[in-house]
Amino acid sequence: MPQRPHTHQKPTKTNMERPSKQYFKVCFCCRRMFRLKAAEPPEDVKKAFESYSENGTMTVDHLLRFLKEFQGERGATKEDAQGIFNSLKHLNIFQRKDLHLEAFFRYLLSDHNAPLSPNLGVHHDMKAPLAHYFLYTGHNSYLTGNQLSSDCSVDPIIKALKRGVRVIELDLWPNATNDDVDVCHGGTLTTPVELTQCLQAINCNAFIASEYPVIITFEDHLTPKLQARVADVVVNTFGATLFQPETELKELPSPESLKRKIIISTKPPKEYLESWRDKNQDDQDEVEEDDKDESDEGGEDHQDEDILAVPEYRHLIAIHAGKVKGGIENWFFDDANKVRRLSLSEQQLEKAAETYATNIVRFTQRNLLRVYPKGIRFDSSNFNPLVGWEHGAQMVAFNMQGYGKYLWIMHGMFRANGGCGYVKKPHFLLNPREVYDPNEELPTITTLKVKVYLGEGWYSDFSHTHFDRYSPPDFYTRVGIAGVPRDTKMMRTKAIEDEWVPVWNHEFAFPLTVPELALLRIEVMEYDTSGNPDFGGQTCLPVSELRGGIRAVPLYNRKGEVYNSVRLLMRFKFV
């Protein structure tokens, strides 16, 4: 049986813990030995150092000039450059009081040289109506796993809020004794959790990651008596943080005006009876057959007098939800006297977009559109969020408890704007005079050049036989764009055999027609002769906030958790 590899360590001046050899025992009498190479500065790094140094050393002033001219950090100050110097002192790789090439290289690979600026914070205009933003949105936020049999819990709600998610969905059902309210996925084997626990979890964690408003969407399957119970619990839990406008909104307020506010959105009770009757009179079309009911519909066949008996529940609802009566041609009607939230499944949106793309974009300039996964995604998988975003949909609702490329894209989008959970939509989606048509082919506006130099950190963060029992890993990198269809593509480097510190020096070019909606996808895989490559890390970055120059790009695991040491050295340039 193969054994855990042995390492032979030879102390060096720059890293006293860096091993120089690795042995793999393949049988009782044979061992394979591989030399472990340390990361070395690529030629581009050497040339940059030569251009911004004198006599082999770089002063604070030299580094400041490098930051401004080469890295494009026009606002960099001498204090910023001195801070970088100070961050490297513990490495003991200074020459006198200045940086030599090795120290400069270690800075480029450090957390101080991230691809997104750590100083930007919330920098979008936050005083526009809510409809002008993409919102970090969860779907069935209480589920811990699949849609059919997993537990319901407050834990995924708390985790989502701490990540910055701003829209939480709760499905409300009578409990077993019909005297209180549970949250669960109705008609399945999911175990319920009490509504009061969910609301308390939201109240305690809503504004840890962001001070901008949290919207709770209810899928309501309650009697009027239990709706009154919900109203009482919600008011008692949130108190003054609950946003309760006196009249139905004619225009959505801004995130800035709603800081640290909780907003309830669902279908008003009076409309449940009409909704129930309509659904029993009309045949469902093919798109709706595989989906659960629209998430802001539901409810029972209440009598009108019962509905009118719960005004306190109606008063909870700040953002009214529901469809205009009639077919698909009426869904996107914009009433100048009020605003509303419309919910569609991913299939319904795709079908509607074939004919009504510009109507959808115009609708989302004043109203909210929520898009949720189709009902047959029992494994809690997700769909391409760009389909919603390019049509202006603010709430692309995702199952946050899973993982996969679409969830990574979602995480990437909301790294923008300081991670506050609100990203301002690009101007072309908000222009009422010239409505954007997602189906129109557009010219290339810019080209993003991406160069992948090298990677490091797997030797520290993984078991040394994690990727291959008999040799070091064979890593390759996949780089691409997630965006509108014309911009979307993925490319890859070649695999570098038997190296913990692979060097690729591979450059890619990505022409972009809609850079405002583009995200840079990066994945590292380990080649396997079986055809099933091993996962070595991923990240997704909003192109709109990508910093030019040579950058250290930290990678994340499948769940979106950052590795301690794994990172790539890359260069970004717009031409």
Side-chain angles (χ1 to χ4, degrees):
M1 292 292 292
Q3 304 292 317
R4 182 178 180 86
H6 303 281
T7 58
H8 172 70
Q9 181 174 308
K10 182 179 180 180
T12 67
K13 180 179 178 181
T14 59
N15 190 339
M16 299 300 291
E17 297 182 356
R18 180 182 297 155
S20 61
K21 297 177 183 178
Q22 181 180 13
Y23 295 92
F24 289 83
K25 190 172 184 179
V26 295
C27 65
F28 290 109
C29 59
C30 297
R31 291 195 306 170
R32 300 180 71 191
M33 186 273 286
F34 294 88
R35 292 193 177 277
L36 297 178
K37 299 178 182 178
E40 296 182 356
E43 284 301 313
D44 287 357
V45 171
K46 293 178 181 178
K47 290 178 181 178
F49 182 78
E50 291 173 3
S51 299
Y52 293 92
S53 64
E54 290 182 10
N55 301 320
T57 62
M58 178 179 281
T59 66
V60 171
D61 289 333
H62 290 143
L63 180 59
L64 178 59
R65 191 161 63 89
F66 168 78
L67 294 175
K68 289 184 174 183
E69 297 177 4
F70 191 95
Q71 300 288 76
E73 299 178 31
R74 305 301 180 193
T77 65
K78 192 167 184 177
E79 288 72 24
D80 295 329
Q82 185 62 57
I84 293 170
F85 264 61
N86 295 341
S87 72
L88 296 170
K89 285 183 177 178
H90 71 283
L91 297 177
N92 194 29
I93 50 178
F94 277 80
Q95 182 170 330
R96 296 186 295 274
K97 294 183 178 181
D98 301 328
L99 300 182
H100 55 58
L101 176 60
E102 175 69 10
F104 176 66
F105 178 49
R106 296 320 302 179
Y107 151 65
L108 290 177
L109 268 172
S110 74
D111 293 335
H112 296 278
N113 188 36
L116 305 181
S117 173
N119 301 320
L120 273 181
V122 177
H123 58 282
H124 294 179
D125 174 16
M126 302 301 285
K127 296 181 180 179
L130 284 174
H132 290 203
Y133 301 84
F134 297 125
L135 281 64
Y136 207 175
T137 302
H139 171 256
N140 289 351
S141 304
Y142 48 86
L143 286 179
T144 57
N146 68 63
Q147 302 287 308
L148 297 179
S149 60
S150 65
D151 291 336
C152 301
S153 169
V154 300
D155 292 339
I157 296 173
I158 294 171
K159 184 177 180 180
L161 290 170
K162 288 183 175 180
R163 184 182 280 276
V165 171
R166 297 291 87 189
V167 184
I168 299 294
E169 182 188 22
L170 302 178
D171 292 7
L172 309 184
W173 293 84
N175 68 358
T177 54
N178 290 313
D179 61 356
D180 210 338
V181 180
D182 279 342
V183 172
C184 67
H185 196 198
T188 69
L189 299 177
T190 57
T191 57
V193 60
E194 293 179 2
L195 172 64
T196 53
Q197 295 181 29
C198 295
L199 297 181
Q200 289 166 3
I202 294 171
N203 191 45
C204 293
N205 296 277
F207 306 112
I208 292 176
S210 169
E211 61 181 345
Y212 289 96
V214 168
I215 300 174
I216 306 174
T217 62
F218 287 156
E219 181 182 328
D220 177 356
H221 302 271
L222 303 175
T223 63
K225 181 179 179 180
L226 289 179
Q227 288 177 346
R229 165 67 177 157
V230 170
D232 183 58
V233 172
V234 168
V235 170
N236 287 335
T237 301
F238 297 120
T241 63
L242 189 65
F243 174 62
Q244 293 182 279
E246 293 298 323
T247 59
E248 189 171 353
L249 295 173
K250 293 185 177 181
E251 184 179 51
L252 291 168
S254 70
E256 186 70 26
S257 69
L258 294 171
K259 277 185 175 179
R260 306 189 72 84
K261 289 291 185 181
I262 301 292
I263 303 168
I264 304 297
S265 178
T266 188
K267 184 183 287 289
K270 188 176 180 180
E271 298 177 25
Y272 280 115
L273 178 62
E274 297 172 358
S275 173
W276 183 86
R277 286 173 176 166
D278 289 344
K279 285 193 290 181
N280 282 274
Q281 290 172 355
D282 300 331
D283 292 329
Q284 289 184 320
D285 61 33
E286 183 178 351
V287 171
E288 295 174 313
E289 285 180 357
D290 291 333
D291 292 310
K292 71 172 187 177
D293 291 341
E294 179 183 325
S295 67
D296 52 21
E297 292 188 1
E300 307 297 331
D301 183 13
H302 307 318
Q303 299 299 317
D304 285 296
E305 57 269 24
D306 290 333
I307 294 169
L308 296 176
V310 285
E312 61 269 32
Y313 183 76
R314 169 180 279 274
H315 189 51
L316 283 183
I317 305 169
I319 300 176
H320 291 204
K323 289 178 183 173
V324 173
K325 288 184 178 181
I328 189 173
E329 65 276 6
N330 296 325
W331 289 354
F332 308 106
F333 171 72
D334 180 19
D335 188 338
N337 295 315
K338 61 181 180 180
V339 290
R340 61 189 170 97
R341 174 174 66 83
L342 172 66
S343 281
L344 300 177
S345 72
E346 57 177 290
Q347 292 169 309
Q348 289 173 318
L349 176 64
E350 289 173 359
K351 182 176 180 180
E354 293 174 2
T355 307
Y356 301 101
T358 55
N359 299 59
I360 299 171
V361 173
R362 188 184 298 278
F363 175 82
T364 59
Q365 291 176 351
R366 291 189 66 249
N367 303 275
L368 298 179
L369 175 59
R370 177 178 176 272
V371 185
Y372 59 90
K374 58 187 177 183
I376 59 174
R377 292 189 181 275
F378 304 130
D379 59 352
S380 294
S381 60
N382 290 298
F383 57 98
N384 184 359
L386 271 303
V387 176
W389 291 333
E390 71 171 334
H391 289 87
Q394 298 88 350
M395 299 179 176
V396 178
F398 261 36
N399 296 305
M400 297 291 174
Q401 69 273 33
Y403 54 81
K405 69 175 182 179
Y406 292 135
L407 187 55
W408 300 338
I409 291 170
M410 176 67 69
H411 292 334
M413 167 64 89
F414 289 98
R415 287 193 175 105
N417 199 27
C420 74
Y422 286 80
V423 173
K424 189 78 157 52
K425 294 200 289 189
H427 175 72
F428 64 81
L429 285 173
L430 301 171
N431 186 353
R433 293 180 297 277
E434 187 177 346
V435 179
Y436 171 70
D437 184 356
N439 297 321
E440 181 182 349
E441 286 198 8
L442 299 173
T444 296
I445 293 178
T446 187
T447 296
L448 172 62
K449 287 190 173 182
V450 178
K451 190 167 186 178
V452 187
Y453 293 112
L454 56 85
E456 70 166 13
W458 292 279
Y459 191 85
S460 300
D461 289 356
F462 287 82
S463 161
H464 298 165
T465 53
H466 176 86
F467 297 105
D468 196 319
R469 293 187 176 188
Y470 303 105
S471 65
D474 309 327
F475 288 124
Y476 63 91
T477 299
R478 301 179 71 236
V479 181
I481 294 293
V484 299
R486 188 174 176 183
D487 294 347
T488 299
K489 66 172 63 175
M490 288 293 289
M491 294 186 280
R492 56 160 287 181
T493 68
K494 64 180 181 180
I496 304 300
E497 295 184 2
D498 300 333
E499 288 289 352
W500 284 102
V501 183
V503 177
W504 295 287
N505 284 321
H506 194 121
E507 187 170 52
F508 305 93
F510 300 102
L512 300 175
T513 62
V514 187
E516 298 91 339
L517 293 180
L519 295 111
L520 179 66
R521 289 184 57 208
I522 303 166
E523 297 176 7
V524 174
M525 309 299 290
E526 199 271 337
Y527 176 78
D528 194 302
T529 54
S530 68
N532 296 314
D534 295 317
F535 178 81
Q538 60 82 24
T539 192
C540 191
L541 303 168
V543 168
S544 62
E545 296 197 3
L546 197 61
R547 298 200 290 181
I550 298 174
R551 301 292 174 182
V553 180
L555 298 187
Y556 297 73
N557 64 20
R558 292 183 185 274
K559 295 181 179 180
E561 301 161 340
V562 68
Y563 290 120
N564 291 327
S565 308
V566 178
R567 64 197 59 218
L568 302 179
L569 188 68
M570 306 179 72
R571 183 174 181 177
F572 308 113
K573 186 177 182 180
F574 291 93
V575 295

